Amino acid sequence: MDKNIEFYLYHGKGVIPNNTISDILNELDTVDNWKHFPKDERNLKGTFDKDAKKMDGLAGSSLTVDWNDIYNKEMNIDSSVELNYSLCRLPQSSALDEFNTAVSTTLDYYIKDYLKDINWYDCYNGKTDPQFINYKTEHDMITHCDHVRHIFDGERKGIPTLSIVGMLTDNYDGGEIVFWEDKSFKLGKGDLLIFPSNFLYPHEIKEVVSGNRISFVSWVW
């Protein structure tokens, strides 16, 4: 077992086929369920029945609210508030199935081959469908860890074991994903990162300087 935590941050380059990405981008162009978030996420207060609250992960952020509320309810964000990135889900389709297959292939490699020396973690139960995130110029995401609790049913909620973050576009400047304040990745089209979803892997998205950064995130349990 490698005791360097950077080892468990895996960068898969170009693992999602271009034709699959093109199909997903075409579908994203047709949907109207993008949900925008305020630049200062403290302005989420009062938006949902159960407000964002201070929890580990990111105080008062979109990570601490139930994303089903985000997609199923109107977000009453004051018109004077500066907006930031936006989120979207896609309905089931053959394009989404192909996309999930490509992601799962790399996830299987990570668990079965990349982590081959760790025989006590050799499988997973499932992963969420991707949440797509659209960053435009001046959009960013502040430092957080992926203690995402809303993906589980029931009164008690755990956190996922792994996070998968990937990229659908490359026509942007800025927007690097940075871990531990000093390890930076400029993800290319079709790239993804896999890493543990816990407090040891804080990360942020730097401000997009120009272009359109469309990424996705899935969580594994």
Side-chain angles (χ1 to χ4, degrees), residues 193-212:
L193 298 174
I194 303 177
F195 55 93
S197 306
N198 64 47
F199 67 94
L200 295 175
Y201 293 82
H203 52 285
E204 64 179 310
I205 307 298
K206 292 295 187 180
E207 185 174 278
V208 174
V209 176
S210 65
N212 194 190

Side-chain angles (χ1 to χ4, degrees), residues 104-117:
S104 294
T105 297
T106 305
L107 174 61
D108 290 341
Y109 168 79
Y110 176 85
I111 291 178
K112 296 176 182 178
D113 295 295
Y114 191 73
L115 301 183
K116 61 181 181 298
D117 294 332

Side-chain angles (χ1 to χ4, degrees), residues 30-65:
T30 66
V31 296
D32 59 0
N33 63 344
W34 288 99
K35 300 295 184 179
H36 302 279
F37 280 80
K39 188 79 168 178
D40 183 344
E41 295 200 359
R42 288 173 296 184
N43 287 312
L44 283 172
K45 184 173 178 59
T47 300
F48 306 108
D49 291 341
K50 295 181 179 179
D51 280 333
K53 53 187 178 298
K54 183 175 182 180
M55 295 176 67
D56 52 12
L58 183 63
S61 80
S62 58
L63 290 179
T64 68
V65 299

